[in-house]
Each structure stands twice: as structure tokens, then as C-alpha cells.
Amino acid sequence: MDKYECTACGYIYDPAAGDPDNGIPAGTRFEDLPDTWVCPQCGVPKDLFVKIG
Amino acid sequence: MNVVIVGNGLAGTLAAKTIRELDDNVEIEIFGEERYPYYPRPNLIEYLAGRLPSTKLFAFPEGWAERQRIVVRLGEKVTRIRPGERKIETVSGLERFYDVLLLATGARAALPRVEGIAQPGVFVLRTLDDANGLIDHLGTHKRVAVLGGGLLGLEIARAIRSRDAEVSVIEYFDRLLPRQLDPAAAAILKSHFEKSGISVRLATVVREVLGSGAVQGLRFESGDRLEADTVIVAAGIVPDVGPAKDAGLEVGRGIVVDDLLRTSVPTVFAAGDVAEHRGRIHGIIPAAFEQARAAAYGMLGQNKPYGGTVPFNTLKVAGLYLTSVGEIDAQGEGYEALVRSLPEAGLYKKIVLRGGRLVGGIWMGTKKGAAEISRLVAAEKHVEALKKDLLEDDFDFSEIT
Ligand SMILES: Cc1cc2nc3c(=O)[nH]c(=O)nc-3n(C[C@H](O)[C@H](O)[C@H](O)COP(=O)(O)OP(=O)(O)OC[C@H]3O[C@@H](n4cnc5c(N)ncnc54)[C@H](O)[C@@H]3O)c2cc1C
Ligand SMILES: [Fe+2]
């Protein structure tokens, strides 16, 4: 599963950890995050993330 | 059509990205004063702490701009704008014609007018060059004073502490983060810092940076002195309006823009930390991004009004989650405050009620329930019957609808 980085603030989404604070369980692939999900650190939408492998 | 962008920070870069997504044919050229490709500034904190290698600072993979057919000229400061002819000039003598221009020149770190502030050993942290200069200096100068106990100052202090430096934070107000915290919560945050070996001086006015040619310390209004060989100033920002002002654009504290991010000259737009929208300079990432996106639409003639940015009310300060909404410190007739506090654990929860309705809250040290509290405060929910339970860690917010 690939990690993705927020190009606005540098936050890294790690699918292994998910984003439990915002209702995203560990093991959720970035591709499967809902479109309403935003960067938990700076609030920008999903399309501003790039894959970092 | 020919778009020129001044500044390759977040606003300039994300505006270019959006323009390309909307239109395949527009020519896009960015001029950036810094010598580096775009990087998110929060990465500088991790870099300063030694936790992020310099190769990982940058947001986009190598070759990204070329693939997007965005021309990026680095180390090329724009020195002059001639709106009448729709031309810009750069420091090395380049000249460009534009159909539309975006000013995304951001901001610089503010330097308070204090005696001795302009000398070697005094630093700010805004750019990668700033970070490198500071890291270099810290190798042999490890007694650090950080001027400013705001969010940036606190992050810097913590980052530097992890380089084994001796760090003091100097704050003008009588508590940390006065806008976000009440005195009790601020005291917990302070002791959280002190436990990690950072000392905090509150209600302190700096009168002089001591030394001549090399920083030796600080002198305070009280007459006290603090020895230090490094001073880092984190005292706010000054929008970089230089070229816009010279060109006669309407400038307040920043470049004045309307809801379409247009300046006083219709073919010139501005976005990000440099823009003054409805009298406000936001200075935060979500605002810079939303403005950049709206400006990109506007520059292509597809109007997408921008109505302002509501700042995130959850922050992470020195590893602690902090949510702060509404009237956090209201007292007196009709108000009631309830607190649950575990200072040792860095936990502090507070709700403020007026006539049984929730009008404010602080959630520090946990994020659980924070989003719900924000929502309830925004709705001024009547919670009289549940007020004690709300502060419990296992409270089930679905009980309130
Ligand atoms: C260390 C640090 C941490 C931060 N952390 C956060 C955070 O956690 N959350 C948050 O919301 N915000 C944070 N911020 C603020 C955030 O970085 C800014 O809001 C954001 O960078 C604004 O983007 P911008 O593109 O408007 O301006 P900038 O990022 O300042 O970019 C402007 C660029 O334009 C260039 N430029 C200026 N004049 C010219 C010229 N004449 N010609 C060519 N180029 C020029 C500058 O060199 C600069 O590269 C942080 C800032 C710093 C310094
Ligand atoms: Fe982000």
C-alpha cells in the first residue's frame, strides 16, 4: 500500500496507520478514502496529495 | 494566453497546478526568488529538528513542473511590474509580457524594532536558506533564545531542543497562546514545555539584543539579562508587497484583492500571504490554497468567488492536540464553565455555557470529541442536562442530536 504526501503542508498519509481521529481505520488505502476526506493537518482536499511510494 | 506568476511558494505553485488542470494550452511561467523548487514550509520544522532529510523537503517529484508544462525560473526575483504595458522585469534583466499576472510573493518574517536585532546570530525561519543558516550556526552556538511564544515560536523551540540546544522562549503576553487558551490551560502547556527542557519566560519585553558582531544575550525591560549566542525571531509576518506597491497597485498591509482575487488592476491577481482580502491577511496554508485556487479560476475568466477562510480550530502544538472554539474564557453573569484537567497528562477540557447553551470550549491533549464539541459550539446547543458527562473521555456524542 502506497503512502501519499500532502503538497500543501507535508503531512504523510500512511495507509497502515489510517486516520482514526477522523474515522478512517488503519489499513485504508489512500485510493479508498472518501472524497470528503481532507488533510488532517491543513485541510486541503485529496487531489493535492502525491504518491511517495 | 500567457500567465506569469511571481513567487514559487504554495500559492504560486498551486495556482499554476490548478490553471494547468483547467486548461491545456495556457502558457505558464513562474518566477521564484528562492533557489529551490517549491516545498511546504512546515517541512522546515521537521528539517530543523533533524527528522527530515533535505531530499524529502520538496512536494513534487523531480520533473513534475516540466511534465505539467510549467516553466519555473528559480533564483529569479521580479524587480519591477509595469501594469500599463503588462510586463515584468527580473533581477537578471529578463522581461516578460503577460495577459494575466499573479502576485504570490508571500510574506517575510517580521523583525521587531529592538536595538541590536540586526547582527550575526539573529535568525528568522521562513525559507530553506534561513533553516540552513540556522542549523549551521547551531552546530557551535547552542544557547538559544526564541522571541515569540506563538505557534511558530513554540514549534521552533521544540525542534531545536531535539538538537540538544538550551532553549528559552520569550513571550510578551502573560501566557502562551492567549487567543487559544485560558490561563489554566496555558499553564499546563507551559509546564509541558518545561518538562521537555525548554524554559519559558512570560510577560517579558525585550529591549536589546546584546553583542556587537556576535550575539551575547538579551536585555529585558525589567533590567534582567539572559545569556544566549543564538536569537531566533518568531514575531509574525510582513506581506511582501514591494513590487506591487512600486507599481501603484492598491496596497494596505498586503495587496488589496476583491472576492475574485483581483487587485486594483484588472489583469493582476494576488493570492496567499501577500493578499489582503476583506481587510485580512490570513497567513495560513488553507487560506493560501483556497485563494490560489480561486485566483486560478479567475485568471482564466471562470469566476469562482472566494469568501474567506475559517481557520482550522484544531492544531497540534508541540505534539499536543489543541482545539479551541468560541468564548473560551468568558466569565460573569449567566456564564458557567466546567473543567476536567489532568495536568500530568497534558489533558485539559473545558466547556463554557451561557444559559445552558454551549458557547465555547477548549480540548487540549486529545482529539477525541474535539470535532463534536466544535460542532456543538457552532450550533450553541442546549446541553444543560448533559454538561457533566460531556467532559468524560468516553462520552458518546451521538446522545446529542
Ligand atoms: C516554518 C513555518 C511553518 C509553518 N507552518 C504552518 C502550518 O503548520 N500551518 C499553516 O497553515 N501555515 C503554516 N505556515 C505558514 C505557511 O507556510 C504560509 O501561509 C504559506 O507558505 C503561504 O504561501 P504563499 O505562497 O502565499 O507565500 P510563501 O510561502 O511566502 O511564498 C512566496 C514565495 O515568493 C517568493 N518571492 C517573494 N518576492 C518575490 C519576487 N519579487 N520575485 C520572485 N519571487 C518572489 C518568495 O521567495 C517565496 O518563495 C508556516 C510557515 C513557516 C515559515
Ligand atoms: Fe496538508
Side-chain angles (χ1 to χ4, degrees):
Chain A
M1 286 193 296
D2 293 317
K3 291 184 188 172
Y4 280 71
E5 181 177 346
C6 173
T7 57
C9 78
Y11 168 85
I12 292 172
Y13 178 77
D14 179 358
D19 178 14
D21 288 333
N22 295 297
I24 305 296
T28 307
R29 294 190 316 158
F30 182 82
E31 295 80 352
D32 295 335
L33 291 171
D35 286 338
T36 51
W37 183 82
V38 295
C39 173
Q41 191 167 290
C42 79
V44 303
K46 245 183 108 172
D47 65 318
L48 283 176
F49 279 70
V50 294
K51 183 150 80 177
I52 55 170
Chain B
M1 175 152 138
N2 189 5
V3 171
V4 170
I5 297 175
V6 188
N8 75 316
L10 182 150
T13 304
L14 296 185
K17 178 175 185 281
T18 305
I19 291 171
R20 179 55 77 229
E21 283 160 8
L22 293 170
D23 189 314
D24 238 3
N25 299 314
V26 186
E27 284 177 42
I28 308 171
E29 188 166 6
I30 306 183
F31 293 87
E33 180 176 357
E34 289 183 71
R35 296 174 287 138
Y36 312 100
Y38 164 66
Y39 55 91
R41 300 204 186 278
N43 280 353
L44 294 177
I45 298 290
E46 294 300 295
Y47 179 62
L48 185 59
R51 287 190 291 263
L52 190 73
S54 59
T55 49
K56 295 227 162 120
L57 283 167
F58 304 98
F60 294 101
E62 226 179 297
W64 172 82
E66 289 81 358
R67 285 195 296 280
Q68 303 297 314
R69 285 170 294 114
I70 297 168
V71 180
V72 185
R73 309 247 177 241
L74 298 175
E76 196 72 69
K77 180 177 182 170
V78 170
T79 47
R80 197 164 165 221
I81 308 165
R82 306 203 307 260
E85 301 150 76
R86 279 197 263 146
K87 278 189 176 161
I88 56 118
E89 287 169 24
T90 74
V91 66
S92 72
L94 296 179
E95 230 183 59
R96 286 292 185 280
F97 174 85
Y98 59 81
D99 291 298
V100 273
L101 179 69
L102 176 65
L103 300 176
T105 49
R108 300 183 186 265
L111 273 189
R113 252 176 277 156
V114 166
E115 204 182 322
I117 198 116
Q119 66 175 311
V122 179
F123 294 85
V124 297
L125 182 69
R126 181 75 191 181
T127 65
L128 180 50
D129 281 340
D130 292 338
N132 282 328
L134 178 55
I135 290 169
D136 203 38
H137 187 81
L138 284 171
T140 46
H141 301 81
K142 291 195 184 292
R143 288 175 309 159
V144 183
V146 178
L147 303 194
L151 287 169
L152 185 58
L154 292 177
E155 291 294 347
I156 291 172
R158 205 167 73 109
I160 283 174
R161 179 68 193 137
S162 64
R163 288 191 173 259
D164 281 333
E166 203 182 290
V167 188
S168 307
V169 174
I170 317 297
E171 170 58 45
Y172 169 85
F173 285 106
D174 61 0
R175 63 177 193 251
L176 294 174
L177 307 182
R179 253 176 309 161
Q180 285 93 357
L181 300 177
D182 67 357
I188 293 175
L189 184 64
K190 177 168 179 273
S191 71
H192 180 74
F193 270 90
E194 287 165 344
K195 263 183 248 157
S196 68
I198 296 169
S199 61
V200 179
R201 279 182 184 244
L202 300 172
T204 302
V205 180
V206 177
R207 275 286 173 251
E208 185 182 355
V209 180
L210 302 166
S212 47
V215 167
Q216 294 185 328
L218 298 173
R219 180 172 63 82
F220 304 122
E221 194 176 54
S222 63
D224 283 5
R225 287 167 186 238
L226 175 75
E227 283 186 22
D229 48 27
T230 308
V231 169
I232 306 171
V233 180
I237 57 167
V238 183
D240 209 334
V241 298
K245 197 171 176 181
D246 296 342
L249 271 64
E250 188 186 341
V251 166
R253 216 161 66 78
I255 302 172
V256 175
V257 294
D258 64 12
D259 286 0
L260 300 175
L261 285 310
R262 290 178 307 200
T263 68
S264 56
V265 174
T267 51
V268 182
F269 291 68
D273 283 8
V274 77
E276 180 177 323
H277 174 259
R278 298 186 188 172
R280 282 193 69 170
I281 287 154
H282 285 277
I284 52 170
I285 289 169
F289 160 70
E290 287 174 21
Q291 292 177 0
R293 189 151 274 190
Y297 278 84
M299 292 168 80
L300 296 175
Q302 308 175 21
N303 293 344
K304 190 181 175 172
Y306 164 78
T309 300
V310 183
F312 246 32
N313 47 34
T314 297
L315 311 158
K316 217 173 178 182
V317 191
L320 283 184
Y321 280 114
L322 166 60
T323 301
S324 169
V325 284
E327 303 180 50
I328 53 164
D329 204 14
Q331 287 152 8
E333 185 97 24
Y335 283 101
E336 183 187 7
L338 288 91
V339 171
R340 182 173 128 73
S341 163
L342 295 171
E344 284 306 306
L347 186 84
Y348 185 87
K349 293 182 184 183
K350 176 184 190 179
I351 52 174
V352 178
L353 283 73
R354 189 180 54 220
R357 292 182 180 278
L358 200 56
V359 292
I362 298 174
W363 240 233
M364 187 169 78
T366 177
K367 214 181 170 188
K368 194 163 177 280
E372 288 83 355
I373 280 294
S374 304
R375 214 170 331 109
L376 295 176
V377 169
E380 295 202 4
K381 268 279 170 196
H382 202 279
V383 295
E384 183 63 33
L386 288 162
K387 62 188 183 192
K388 291 231 166 56
D389 306 334
L390 273 177
L391 295 168
E392 293 306 321
D393 292 340
D394 54 3
F395 180 74
D396 178 6
F397 281 89
S398 63
E399 283 180 37
I400 307 178
T401 44

